[in-house]
Amino acid sequence: MTRPAGSVGAEADGRPRFALIGAGPSGLAGARNLSKLGLDFDGFESASEVGGLWNIDNPRSTMYESAHLISSRTTTQFAEFPMPEDGPDYPGHAEVRRYLSAFADEFDLLKHFRFDSKVTSVKPVDDSDARWRVTWDGPEGTESAVYDGVILANGTLAEPSIPMFPGHFRGELLHSSSYTSPDIFQGKRVLIVGAGNSGCDIAVDAVHHAASVDMSVRRGYYFVPKYLLGRPADTLNQGRPLPARIKQWLDTRLLRLFTGDPVKFGFPEPDYRIYESHPIVNTLVLQHLGQGDLRVRPDIERFRNRTVYFADGTNDEYDLVMLATGYVLDYPFIARRHLNWTDLAPKLYLNIFSSANFAKEGFNGIYVLGMVEALGLGWQGRYEQAELLARYLSSEPATRRNFEARAAKPWPDLTGGYRYLGLERMSYYVNKDAYRRAVKKLTRTLKEKS
């Protein structure tokens, strides 16, 4: 699905024009809000249709056949385009893909995108960083155009995080990013490294096919059931948020009541409070542990041939090791300095707006959508990101300067009082209530001045 060739870039007609990279949920939210406010933009998507991660046929997709939403449809969907009420509470990837395609059709977004077009470079035209040259490989070969700003919405779950272990494993060593079907486990002794949401999903898949399944874990986890009292768990307590410490105290006790103590199933005791890392929305893995279908093993010390040695001095032989070790942020087409990349992640105002020096300069014309994680944020939270950005881009110069001046002052606290673990995957984590409050407040300010 390739858009017909035509004029692109800011050079086309002199009006401000922006590039939008990605047509997943965040990219579609960006396209919807840019188009709603009449902003000119060109969208670029490396796959042949919309959906991003949820398009399992997308070469960059890390989706697997059994994948479903881990948040319910009502807390995930776009507010202006609800998912079908007669659909499942936790849709699978195929239903999500259809939903995103229907969203794009409903708001006539496809016309803005060049599909099968992979962006390879985003560079400033000159030292001022005022305009940006975007280069892409598409059906017509390598092309480029100049834009007044570039919006990166290419997702956060595509580049595998691959840990290094001493020694060499002579069986199959795979990352979960390449996993699609449990058929690969048939009759094999399997070790899954990591017990995040994907790792637990894959472990549940594997027990029905493998000869044996172990899980190697470094720290403890909190397990949240998909249903409580007959309702999707994340639809409960949707009123005024409780203070962090009270909610942590209360929910920890509720989980012990409904799911039991994961330590009794073999997991280590968590060294952090609940919600200071993303919880695991999968209690089937506890069921399989209780049935003896799975075993929990400690962290890996080293490999030797097909033997894996663990930190507690034990060892075992495996045919396949699956690294369910997550992903790293990856914006390979742009230099990190343009994203104010410090330590583990870009340091962006509200996880959206970039500048080389927030204390002295305005924004540099590079914006990010979707570089935000929060329990319960859903796609509506990302839609609100896109609305704030579109309001900023469509505002008068004086209003933009006033908005930019805010970024030179102390930034709002987006933690909601939670002390998140200092892990790479948590480096752009926020509390959904604190984040949405901050974004909505600034959006209202821009609306009032428009």
Side-chain angles (χ1 to χ4, degrees):
M1 184 187 300
T2 303
R3 195 183 71 177
S7 297
V8 296
E11 299 164 317
D13 57 11
R15 284 166 49 88
R17 196 172 188 91
F18 305 93
L20 171 64
I21 303 172
S26 291
L28 293 176
R32 167 61 177 151
N33 280 282
L34 292 171
S35 60
K36 190 161 62 171
L37 293 182
L39 291 160
D40 294 332
F41 69 98
D42 297 317
F44 297 91
E45 169 56 52
S46 60
S48 59
E49 60 183 87
V50 303
L53 171 76
W54 293 96
N55 173 8
I56 200 170
D57 297 320
N58 180 348
R60 288 189 84 238
S61 175
T62 54
M63 198 56 58
Y64 41 93
E65 290 177 358
S66 62
H68 290 70
L69 288 175
I70 61 171
S71 55
S72 64
R73 60 178 169 80
T74 55
T75 60
T76 304
Q77 65 195 6
F78 294 117
E80 67 174 349
F81 191 74
M83 291 185 182
E85 290 187 6
D86 59 352
D89 293 325
Y90 295 92
H93 66 85
E95 290 137 320
V96 173
R97 178 180 180 178
R98 287 193 292 271
Y99 168 77
L100 294 173
S101 179
F103 178 87
D105 289 339
E106 174 72 14
F107 299 110
D108 196 21
L109 303 181
L110 298 181
K111 66 184 181 183
H112 296 286
F113 282 93
R114 290 176 170 261
F115 293 93
D116 299 306
S117 297
K118 180 182 179 180
V119 171
T120 57
S121 174
V122 176
K123 293 181 178 179
V125 173
D126 54 41
D127 293 338
S128 69
D129 284 2
R131 304 178 94 205
W132 297 84
R133 179 168 292 279
V134 175
T135 303
W136 67 93
D137 291 335
E140 305 300 319
T142 299
E143 301 181 79
S144 71
V146 173
Y147 293 90
D148 297 284
V150 182
I151 303 162
L152 315 184
N154 57 301
T156 62
L157 300 175
E159 185 63 23
S161 175
I162 300 179
M164 301 299 294
F165 297 105
H168 179 69
F169 183 67
R170 296 193 180 279
E172 294 179 80
L173 183 63
L174 305 172
H175 189 272
S176 57
S177 59
S178 65
Y179 172 71
T180 56
S181 168
D183 292 344
I184 62 170
F185 299 129
Q186 195 64 46
K188 296 175 183 175
R189 298 166 296 179
V190 175
L191 176 66
I192 296 171
V193 182
N197 280 290
S198 293
C200 287
D201 281 354
I202 295 169
V204 171
D205 283 353
V207 297
H208 301 291
H209 297 78
S212 65
V213 184
D214 290 352
M215 299 183 75
S216 169
V217 301
R218 288 189 296 178
R219 59 166 35 95
Y221 298 87
Y222 294 92
F223 291 83
V224 178
K226 285 192 169 182
Y227 288 92
L228 281 173
L229 305 176
R231 292 174 53 188
D234 61 1
T235 64
L236 303 175
N237 190 28
Q238 289 294 305
R240 185 174 181 178
L242 295 171
R245 290 295 174 263
I246 294 176
K247 183 170 177 59
Q248 289 174 313
W249 182 89
L250 178 62
D251 286 6
T252 298
R253 281 150 184 81
L254 283 173
L255 288 183
R256 291 285 175 93
L257 177 65
F258 281 98
T259 65
D261 184 358
V263 174
K264 294 181 179 179
F265 292 90
F267 284 96
E269 186 78 38
D271 57 356
Y272 57 94
R273 293 186 176 96
I274 190 171
Y275 305 131
E276 293 177 348
S277 183
H278 204 79
I280 308 306
V281 189
N282 185 326
T283 52
L284 286 175
V285 72
L286 300 180
Q287 175 182 318
H288 284 294
L289 283 165
Q291 293 174 176
D293 302 327
L294 283 168
R295 286 189 303 172
V296 173
R297 309 299 296 267
D299 196 14
I300 294 173
E301 183 181 83
R302 61 189 171 93
F303 293 140
R304 185 168 182 264
N305 296 325
R306 289 178 180 260
T307 303
V308 179
Y309 294 83
F310 298 100
D312 65 351
T314 62
N315 65 81
D316 241 315
E317 289 196 355
Y318 298 95
D319 303 303
L320 187 154
V321 173
M322 174 72 71
L323 302 175
T325 47
Y327 300 87
V328 295
L329 288 174
D330 187 39
Y331 301 102
F333 39 73
I334 187 169
R336 287 191 168 198
R337 67 180 183 276
H338 301 309
L339 288 168
N340 193 33
W341 202 301
T342 56
D343 197 16
L344 299 178
K347 185 178 180 181
L348 309 177
Y349 183 54
L350 294 172
N351 291 31
I352 303 171
F353 302 91
S354 181
S355 172
N357 187 338
F358 286 100
K360 296 181 181 180
E361 304 172 4
F363 303 143
N364 64 6
I366 298 296
Y367 313 98
V368 180
L369 293 178
M371 194 201 80
V372 59
E373 288 294 335
L375 183 66
L377 185 65
W379 295 334
Q380 184 59 26
R382 290 156 175 83
Y383 184 98
E384 289 160 8
Q385 274 194 317
E387 182 181 11
L388 174 61
L389 175 57
R391 288 283 173 187
Y392 163 79
L393 293 175
S394 63
S395 62
E396 296 296 323
T399 301
R400 288 200 300 273
R401 287 193 294 271
N402 289 336
F403 183 89
E404 291 166 11
R406 291 172 180 263
K409 300 175 181 178
W411 292 4
D413 178 11
L414 304 178
T415 67
Y418 295 90
R419 299 170 184 169
Y420 299 121
L421 290 180
L423 305 174
E424 185 168 9
R425 63 185 172 84
M426 300 298 295
S427 58
Y428 48 98
Y429 209 89
V430 300
N431 171 260
K432 74 174 176 69
D433 299 303
Y435 188 79
R436 293 183 73 178
R437 273 197 307 270
V439 168
K440 288 179 178 180
K441 179 180 178 181
L442 288 172
T443 302
R444 284 196 301 270
T445 300
L446 290 174
K447 283 182 178 179
E448 291 166 0
K449 295 181 178 180
S450 62

Coordinates of all heavy atoms in Angstrom, one line a residue, residues 148-186:
D148 N 10.2 21.0 8.5 CA 10.4 22.0 9.6 C 10.4 21.3 11.0 O 10.7 22.0 12.0 CB 9.2 23.0 9.6 CG 9.2 23.8 8.3 OD1 10.0 24.7 8.2 OD2 8.4 23.5 7.4
G149 N 10.1 20.1 11.0 CA 10.2 19.3 12.3 C 10.0 17.8 11.9 O 9.4 17.5 10.9
V150 N 10.4 16.9 12.8 CA 10.3 15.5 12.6 C 9.8 14.9 13.9 O 10.3 15.1 15.0 CB 11.7 14.9 12.2 CG1 11.5 13.4 12.0 CG2 12.3 15.5 11.0
I151 N 8.8 14.0 13.7 CA 8.1 13.4 14.9 C 8.4 11.9 14.8 O 8.1 11.2 13.8 CB 6.6 13.6 14.8 CG1 6.3 15.1 14.8 CG2 5.9 12.9 16.0 CD1 4.8 15.4 14.3
L152 N 9.1 11.4 15.8 CA 9.5 10.0 15.9 C 8.5 9.2 16.6 O 8.2 9.4 17.8 CB 10.9 9.8 16.6 CG 12.0 10.8 16.2 CD1 13.3 10.5 16.9 CD2 12.2 10.9 14.7
A153 N 7.8 8.3 15.9 CA 6.8 7.4 16.5 C 7.0 6.0 16.1 O 6.0 5.3 15.8 CB 5.4 7.9 16.2
N154 N 8.2 5.6 16.0 CA 8.6 4.2 15.5 C 8.6 3.2 16.6 O 9.0 2.0 16.3 CB 9.9 4.3 14.7 CG 11.0 4.8 15.6 OD1 11.0 5.9 16.1 ND2 12.1 4.0 15.8
G155 N 8.1 3.4 17.8 CA 8.0 2.4 18.8 C 9.2 2.2 19.7 O 10.3 2.6 19.4
T156 N 9.0 1.4 20.7 CA 10.0 1.2 21.7 C 10.3 -0.3 21.9 O 11.1 -0.7 22.7 CB 9.6 1.7 23.1 OG1 8.4 1.1 23.5 CG2 9.4 3.2 23.0
L157 N 9.6 -1.2 21.2 CA 9.7 -2.6 21.4 C 10.1 -3.4 20.1 O 9.5 -4.3 19.7 CB 8.4 -3.2 21.9 CG 7.8 -2.6 23.2 CD1 6.5 -3.1 23.5 CD2 8.8 -2.9 24.3
A158 N 11.2 -2.9 19.5 CA 11.7 -3.5 18.3 C 13.1 -4.0 18.4 O 13.5 -5.0 17.7 CB 11.5 -2.6 17.1
E159 N 14.0 -3.3 19.1 CA 15.4 -3.6 19.2 C 15.7 -4.5 20.4 O 15.5 -4.0 21.5 CB 16.2 -2.3 19.2 CG 17.7 -2.5 19.2 CD 18.2 -3.2 17.9 OE1 17.5 -3.0 16.8 OE2 19.3 -3.8 17.9
P160 N 16.1 -5.7 20.2 CA 16.2 -6.6 21.4 C 17.3 -6.2 22.3 O 18.4 -5.7 21.9 CB 16.6 -8.0 20.7 CG 16.2 -7.8 19.3 CD 16.3 -6.4 18.9
S161 N 17.1 -6.4 23.6 CA 18.1 -6.3 24.6 C 18.7 -7.7 24.8 O 18.0 -8.5 25.3 CB 17.5 -5.7 25.9 OG 18.5 -5.7 26.9
I162 N 20.0 -7.8 24.5 CA 20.6 -9.2 24.5 C 21.7 -9.2 25.5 O 22.8 -8.6 25.3 CB 21.1 -9.6 23.1 CG1 19.9 -9.6 22.1 CG2 21.8 -11.0 23.2 CD1 20.3 -10.0 20.7
P163 N 21.5 -9.8 26.7 CA 22.6 -9.9 27.7 C 23.7 -10.8 27.2 O 23.5 -11.7 26.4 CB 21.9 -10.5 28.9 CG 20.8 -11.3 28.3 CD 20.3 -10.6 27.1
M164 N 24.9 -10.6 27.8 CA 26.1 -11.4 27.5 C 26.4 -12.3 28.7 O 26.4 -11.8 29.8 CB 27.3 -10.5 27.2 CG 27.1 -9.5 26.0 SD 26.7 -10.4 24.4 CE 28.3 -11.2 24.1
F165 N 26.6 -13.6 28.4 CA 26.9 -14.5 29.4 C 28.3 -15.2 29.1 O 28.6 -15.4 27.9 CB 25.9 -15.6 29.5 CG 24.5 -15.1 29.9 CD1 23.5 -15.0 29.0 CD2 24.2 -14.8 31.2 CE1 22.2 -14.6 29.3 CE2 23.0 -14.3 31.6 CZ 22.0 -14.2 30.6
P166 N 29.1 -15.4 30.1 CA 30.3 -16.2 29.9 C 30.1 -17.5 29.2 O 29.0 -18.2 29.5 CB 30.9 -16.3 31.3 CG 30.3 -15.2 32.1 CD 28.9 -15.1 31.5
G167 N 31.0 -17.9 28.4 CA 30.9 -19.3 27.8 C 30.1 -19.2 26.5 O 29.7 -18.1 26.0
H168 N 29.8 -20.4 26.0 CA 29.1 -20.5 24.7 C 28.1 -21.6 24.8 O 28.4 -22.7 25.2 CB 30.2 -20.9 23.6 CG 29.5 -21.0 22.2 ND1 29.0 -20.0 21.5 CD2 29.3 -22.1 21.4 CE1 28.5 -20.4 20.4 NE2 28.7 -21.7 20.3
F169 N 26.9 -21.3 24.3 CA 25.8 -22.3 24.3 C 25.7 -22.9 23.0 O 25.5 -22.2 22.0 CB 24.5 -21.6 24.7 CG 23.3 -22.6 24.8 CD1 23.3 -23.6 25.8 CD2 22.3 -22.5 23.9 CE1 22.3 -24.5 25.9 CE2 21.2 -23.4 24.0 CZ 21.2 -24.4 25.0
R170 N 25.8 -24.2 22.9 CA 25.8 -24.9 21.6 C 24.4 -25.4 21.1 O 24.3 -26.1 20.1 CB 26.8 -26.1 21.6 CG 28.2 -25.6 21.8 CD 29.3 -26.6 21.6 NE 30.6 -26.1 21.8 CZ 31.3 -25.4 20.9 NH1 30.8 -25.1 19.7 NH2 32.5 -25.0 21.1
G171 N 23.4 -25.1 21.9 CA 22.1 -25.4 21.4 C 21.5 -24.2 20.7 O 22.3 -23.4 20.1
E172 N 20.2 -24.1 20.6 CA 19.6 -22.9 20.0 C 19.5 -21.8 21.0 O 19.0 -22.0 22.1 CB 18.2 -23.3 19.5 CG 18.1 -24.3 18.4 CD 16.7 -24.6 18.0 OE1 16.1 -23.8 17.3 OE2 16.1 -25.7 18.5
L173 N 20.0 -20.6 20.6 CA 19.9 -19.4 21.5 C 19.2 -18.4 20.7 O 19.6 -17.9 19.7 CB 21.3 -19.0 21.8 CG 21.4 -17.8 22.7 CD1 20.8 -18.1 24.1 CD2 22.9 -17.3 22.9
L174 N 18.0 -18.0 21.2 CA 17.1 -17.1 20.5 C 16.6 -16.0 21.4 O 16.6 -16.1 22.6 CB 15.8 -17.8 19.9 CG 16.0 -19.1 19.1 CD1 14.7 -19.7 18.8 CD2 16.7 -18.7 17.7
H175 N 16.3 -14.9 20.8 CA 15.6 -13.8 21.6 C 14.1 -13.8 21.3 O 13.7 -14.2 20.2 CB 16.2 -12.4 21.2 CG 15.7 -11.3 22.1 ND1 14.5 -10.6 21.8 CD2 16.2 -10.8 23.2 CE1 14.4 -9.7 22.8 NE2 15.4 -9.8 23.6
S176 N 13.3 -13.4 22.3 CA 11.9 -13.5 22.1 C 11.4 -12.6 21.0 O 10.3 -12.8 20.5 CB 11.2 -13.1 23.4 OG 11.6 -11.8 23.8
S177 N 12.2 -11.7 20.5 CA 11.8 -10.9 19.4 C 11.6 -11.7 18.1 O 10.8 -11.3 17.2 CB 12.8 -9.8 19.1 OG 14.1 -10.3 18.8
S178 N 12.2 -12.9 18.0 CA 12.1 -13.7 16.8 C 11.0 -14.8 17.0 O 10.8 -15.6 16.2 CB 13.4 -14.4 16.5 OG 13.8 -15.2 17.5
Y179 N 10.4 -14.8 18.2 CA 9.4 -15.9 18.5 C 8.1 -15.6 17.9 O 7.6 -14.5 18.1 CB 9.3 -16.0 20.0 CG 8.2 -16.9 20.5 CD1 8.3 -18.3 20.3 CD2 7.0 -16.4 21.0 CE1 7.3 -19.2 20.7 CE2 6.0 -17.3 21.4 CZ 6.1 -18.7 21.2 OH 5.1 -19.5 21.6
T180 N 7.5 -16.5 17.2 CA 6.1 -16.4 16.7 C 5.2 -17.5 17.1 O 4.1 -17.3 17.4 CB 6.1 -16.2 15.2 OG1 6.8 -17.4 14.6 CG2 6.8 -14.9 14.7
S181 N 5.8 -18.8 17.1 CA 4.9 -19.9 17.3 C 5.6 -20.9 18.3 O 6.8 -21.1 18.2 CB 4.7 -20.7 15.9 OG 4.1 -21.9 16.1
P182 N 4.8 -21.6 19.1 CA 5.3 -22.5 20.1 C 5.8 -23.8 19.4 O 6.4 -24.7 20.1 CB 4.2 -22.8 21.0 CG 2.9 -22.5 20.2 CD 3.3 -21.4 19.3
D183 N 5.6 -24.0 18.1 CA 6.1 -25.2 17.4 C 7.6 -25.4 17.6 O 8.1 -26.5 17.6 CB 5.7 -25.1 15.9 CG 4.2 -25.2 15.7 OD1 3.5 -25.6 16.6 OD2 3.8 -24.8 14.6
I184 N 8.3 -24.3 17.8 CA 9.8 -24.4 17.9 C 10.2 -25.2 19.2 O 11.3 -25.6 19.3 CB 10.5 -23.0 17.9 CG1 10.0 -22.2 19.1 CG2 10.2 -22.3 16.6 CD1 10.9 -20.9 19.2
F185 N 9.3 -25.3 20.1 CA 9.6 -25.9 21.4 C 9.4 -27.4 21.4 O 9.7 -28.1 22.4 CB 8.8 -25.3 22.5 CG 9.0 -23.9 22.8 CD1 7.9 -23.0 22.8 CD2 10.3 -23.3 22.9 CE1 8.1 -21.6 23.0 CE2 10.5 -22.0 23.1 CZ 9.4 -21.1 23.2
Q186 N 8.8 -28.0 20.3 CA 8.3 -29.4 20.3 C 9.4 -30.3 20.8 O 10.4 -30.5 20.1 CB 7.8 -29.7 18.9 CG 7.0 -31.0 18.9 CD 5.7 -30.9 19.7 OE1 5.0 -29.9 19.6 NE2 5.4 -31.9 20.5

